[in-house]
């Protein structure tokens, strides 16, 4: 299999590096820490990328060989194994959008959409199937290594990118529904029978328009362009638990919040962000969701794949102009105190929110690393005013949003009507884009024509879906209330 990928090798190639990881793990254990180890976090050897990356089925077996060697080398010192981090995000940004390293090049929006739908070997479908297969093989290898060596049973899971999406306009509803289903559950559904736990990564709500991120003036945002929305973490924990709790094929025993944090160099919002999201987790636990852990992202400022060094996620500031000197932000002490005492107090919550309110009252601003269109990242941050919106956790608000999600799920079952609408829009798509493809020199000369056609398609999509939703609103609401399918 490795030869088919262009390398006469298999399994771990650098055992000196593996020994270094063993040393690092040992230092963590000596400090009384638990080790959560991720085996694939979006980086692939160059020769694997050149062979098609995860769209190449041969990668599955080679990943399994690599995992087997790592499991044998690190042994019982690893408390929780994550086979992959956000595999659907990797598939999206690498094989659909083409914005991450080793990406497939894209030329226009239509090609992006078709890439997600077509079934050839260089499609996102192949990547998703191979990622799921690689997880399943890794899960088996880790369990087998532990069994053969007489070690305790391992805890093996995967970290999923969990989303709360909201359409900026009513006609964005279908795109939001499809994106949520595609990103949150596509791989998880395929591997639910080989998960001891499931990790969920959540940062905030994303407002979308026409399938792209949009910015609204009435929301509070992190530096990286996510709406600060603690209720979303509660909703996601409830959603995933309800989806798999009674599924006889599911082996999920618990959930771990594997990533949750805010990019906020000012450290004004971070204390309240931490407190409110922990309250959201506590509420979910009180309602029966088996949450066994929470990991804050992150200990120190880091490099973000799409946004570079602009967003500051760290409890510790890293000064890149002064030999990477570290400075603890005030939130460092807060989180340390919460971890030590394993509780959030009323004064902590009040003090954290008072800090946000003081910034609002003073008319203060914070850094923002997204362009006005919400889509482009910035190397140099701009300033954005702190919002006066009360974004603290509210279980009641979360339940309202869950009812909206229930409505979206009901819409999903209106297959006959939606298929007809989709067929009409597909025909229009093919006609208009066929006209575009017939225009000579379109790449250099006809950018204006392209933009006009693109705007036309968006307008048609908005009109068709908006009219359909308006005409079926009463039927859909009745179905949600009665808990039935349309």
């Amino acid at each position: 299999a490795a030869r088919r990928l262009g390398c006469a090798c298999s399994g771990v190639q650098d055992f000196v590096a593996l020994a270094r990881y063993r040393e690092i793990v040992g230092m963590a254990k000596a400090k009384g820490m638990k080790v959560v180890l991720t085996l694939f976090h979006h980086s692939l050897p160059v020769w694997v990328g050149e062979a098609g990356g995860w769209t190449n089925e041969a990668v599955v077996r080679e990943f399994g060989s690599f995992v087997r060697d790592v499991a044998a080398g690190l042994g019982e010192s690893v408390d929780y194994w994550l086979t992959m981090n956000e595999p659907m995000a990797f598939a999206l940004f690498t094989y659909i959008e083409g914005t991450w390293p080793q990406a497939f090049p894209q030329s226009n929006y239509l090609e992006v959409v078709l890439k997600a739908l077509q079934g050839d070997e260089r499609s996102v479908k192949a990547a998703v199937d191979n990622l799921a297969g690689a997880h399943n093989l890794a899960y088996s290898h880790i369990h087998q290594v532990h069994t053969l060596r007489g070690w305790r049973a391992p805890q093996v899971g995967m970290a999923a990118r969990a989303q709360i999406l909201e359409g900026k306009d009513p006609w964005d509803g279908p795109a939001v529904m499809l994106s949520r289903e595609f990103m949150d559950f596509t791989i998880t559904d395929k591997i639910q029978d080989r998960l001891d736990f499931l990790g969920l990564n959540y940062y905030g709500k994303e407002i979308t328009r026409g399938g792209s991120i949009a910015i609204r003036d009435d929301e509070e945002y992190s530096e990286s362009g996510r709406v600060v929305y603690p209720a979303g973490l509660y909703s996601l924990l409830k959603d995933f638990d309800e989806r798999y709790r009674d599924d006889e094929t599911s082996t999920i025993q618990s959930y771990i919040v594997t990533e949750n944090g805010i990019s906020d160099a000012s450290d004004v919002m971070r204390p309240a962000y931490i407190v409110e999201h922990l309250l959201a987790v506590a509420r979910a636990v009180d309602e029966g969701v088996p949450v066994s852990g929470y990991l804050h992202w992150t200990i120190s400022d880091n490099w973000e794949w799409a946004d570079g060094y602009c967003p500051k996620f760290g409890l510790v500031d890293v000064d890149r102009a002064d030999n990477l000197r570290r400075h603890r932000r005030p939130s460092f002490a807060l989180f340390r105190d919460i971890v030590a005492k394993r509780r959030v107090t009323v004064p902590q919550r009040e003090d954290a929110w008072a800090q946000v309110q003081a910034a609002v009252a003073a008319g203060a601003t914070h850094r923002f690393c997204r362009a006005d269109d919400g889509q482009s990242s910035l190397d140099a941050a701009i300033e954005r005013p702190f919002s006066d919106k009360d974004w603290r956790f509210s279980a009641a608000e979360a339940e309202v949003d869950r009812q909206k999600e229930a409505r979206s799920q009901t819409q999903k079952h209106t297959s006959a009507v939606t298929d007809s609408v989709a067929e009409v829009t597909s025909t229009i798509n093919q006609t208009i884009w066929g006209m575009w493809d017939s225009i000579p020199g379109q790449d250099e000369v006809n950018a204006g024509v392209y933009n006009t056609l693109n705007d036309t398609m968006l307008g048609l999509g908005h009109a068709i879906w908006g009219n359909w939703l308006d005409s079926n609103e009463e039927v859909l609401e009745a179905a949600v209330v009665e808990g039935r399918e349309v």
Side-chain angles (χ1 to χ4, degrees):
R3 292 183 182 276
R4 291 200 300 274
L5 293 174
C7 176
C9 51
S10 184
V12 168
Q13 298 302 299
D14 189 341
F15 284 92
V16 174
L18 182 59
R20 174 57 177 160
Y21 277 108
R22 186 160 52 244
E23 181 183 3
I24 294 171
V25 168
M27 289 189 289
K29 300 295 285 187
K31 295 289 187 181
M33 301 171 69
K34 290 187 179 297
V35 174
V36 182
L37 188 140
T38 304
L39 293 160
F40 172 67
H41 196 145
H42 304 166
S43 58
L44 286 172
V46 173
W47 50 271
V48 174
E50 291 174 347
W54 284 107
T55 65
N56 190 325
E57 189 177 5
V59 177
V60 175
R61 180 175 295 180
E62 288 312 305
F63 183 69
S65 298
F66 163 78
V67 170
R68 184 186 59 237
D69 287 348
V70 174
L74 300 183
E76 290 184 292
S77 57
V78 175
D79 297 279
Y80 297 94
W81 296 90
L82 290 171
T83 60
M84 300 174 180
N85 180 75
E86 298 186 1
M88 286 304 301
F90 185 83
L92 169 67
F93 295 122
T94 305
Y95 304 121
I96 299 180
E97 289 192 358
T99 55
W100 277 14
Q102 301 183 349
F104 290 172
Q106 311 295 340
S107 59
N108 58 48
Y109 178 75
L110 179 63
E111 183 177 348
V112 171
V113 174
L114 292 177
K115 183 69 70 175
L117 297 177
Q118 66 191 13
D120 62 54
E121 64 178 1
R122 292 179 64 83
S123 71
V124 68
K125 182 180 182 301
V128 168
D129 288 344
N130 290 334
L131 284 161
H135 163 85
N136 289 338
L137 184 58
Y139 178 92
S140 298
H141 278 323
I142 295 171
H143 275 268
Q144 288 170 2
V145 168
H146 277 245
T147 299
L148 291 173
R149 303 203 175 195
W151 295 341
R152 59 167 170 75
Q155 285 288 303
V156 184
M158 180 271 289
R161 177 189 176 107
Q163 298 186 121
I164 292 291
L165 301 175
E166 179 180 310
K168 186 175 183 181
D169 300 308
W171 46 78
D172 290 312
V176 166
M177 176 192 69
L178 292 173
S179 178
R180 172 81 192 280
E181 186 74 16
F182 175 70
M183 290 297 296
D184 283 7
F185 302 117
T186 299
I187 281 186
T188 311
D189 283 351
K190 293 176 180 290
I191 65 174
Q192 60 173 305
D193 59 341
R194 286 181 175 83
L195 287 169
D196 301 319
F197 70 93
L198 178 61
L200 298 178
N201 297 349
Y202 173 75
Y203 291 93
K205 179 165 60 178
E206 293 184 294
I207 310 296
T208 66
R209 182 180 186 275
S212 299
I213 298 298
I215 303 298
R216 288 203 322 216
D217 294 334
D218 60 343
E219 298 282 3
E220 183 61 279
Y221 285 85
S222 68
E223 293 172 350
S224 47
R226 296 182 178 97
V227 175
V228 182
Y229 185 59
L233 182 53
Y234 162 85
S235 297
L236 287 166
L237 288 167
K238 293 282 288 184
D239 289 347
F240 275 86
D241 183 53
E242 290 175 2
R243 188 179 186 100
Y244 299 116
R245 175 184 289 272
D246 297 324
D247 191 325
E248 294 181 356
T249 64
S250 173
T251 59
I252 300 172
Q253 302 164 14
S254 67
Y255 296 88
I256 295 178
V257 179
T258 37
E259 290 182 22
N260 178 242
I262 183 173
S263 48
D264 175 26
S266 71
D267 211 47
V268 168
M269 294 182 285
R270 186 175 288 106
Y273 182 100
I274 291 171
V275 167
E276 299 302 324
H277 282 80
L278 287 174
L279 292 175
V281 174
R283 181 59 179 260
V285 171
D286 288 343
E287 295 181 7
V289 181
V291 181
S292 55
Y294 171 93
L295 302 177
H296 182 75
W297 187 270
T298 184
I299 186 64
S300 61
D301 291 339
N302 64 294
W303 167 270
E304 288 289 305
W305 275 54
D307 298 327
Y309 289 118
C310 188
K312 307 300 183 183
F313 276 96
L315 295 169
V316 176
D317 166 67
V318 178
D319 189 345
R320 300 193 175 276
D322 186 14
N323 198 32
L324 304 181
R325 190 178 299 277
R326 269 74 164 168
H327 306 275
R328 295 177 181 179
R329 294 189 169 105
S331 54
F332 181 99
L334 170 67
F335 190 65
R336 180 176 59 186
D337 187 60
I338 292 172
V339 170
K341 297 178 180 177
R342 302 178 67 85
R343 65 194 297 253
V344 173
T345 66
V346 172
Q348 283 173 334
R349 189 184 196 196
E350 292 175 344
D351 291 346
W353 188 246
Q355 179 172 299
V356 175
Q357 292 298 94
V360 174
T365 62
H366 65 85
R367 291 159 39 93
F368 193 60
C369 299
R370 308 297 291 180
D372 291 338
D373 61 5
Q375 301 171 38
S376 305
S377 58
L378 303 174
D379 291 328
I382 59 177
E383 293 295 315
R384 179 181 176 88
F386 284 98
S387 171
D388 61 0
K389 180 170 184 175
D390 186 348
W391 46 261
R392 288 173 292 178
F393 172 66
S394 165
E397 180 182 9
E399 194 54 42
V400 168
D401 280 355
R402 279 167 50 76
Q403 290 299 320
K404 291 180 181 178
E405 178 66 18
R407 170 174 172 166
S408 294
Q409 290 301 316
T410 301
Q411 292 177 12
K412 184 180 69 173
H413 293 298
T414 58
S415 56
V417 179
T418 56
D419 284 351
S420 297
V421 175
E423 185 175 350
V424 171
T425 55
S426 176
T427 300
I428 297 174
N429 266 333
Q430 293 174 19
T431 301
I432 291 183
W433 287 111
M435 294 165 54
W436 164 249
D437 287 337
S438 67
I439 299 174
Q442 63 262 44
D443 290 338
E444 295 82 13
V445 182
N446 292 296
V449 178
Y450 172 88
N451 290 332
T452 300
L453 288 172
N454 196 47
D455 290 342
T456 301
M457 289 309 306
L458 284 174
L460 285 169
H462 293 168
I464 292 173
W465 282 110
N467 290 337
W468 183 85
L469 290 172
D470 289 343
S471 62
N472 289 276
E473 183 171 5
E474 293 182 2
V475 175
L476 290 169
E477 289 182 349
V480 170
V481 172
E482 298 170 13
R484 60 178 173 80
E485 295 183 2
V486 176

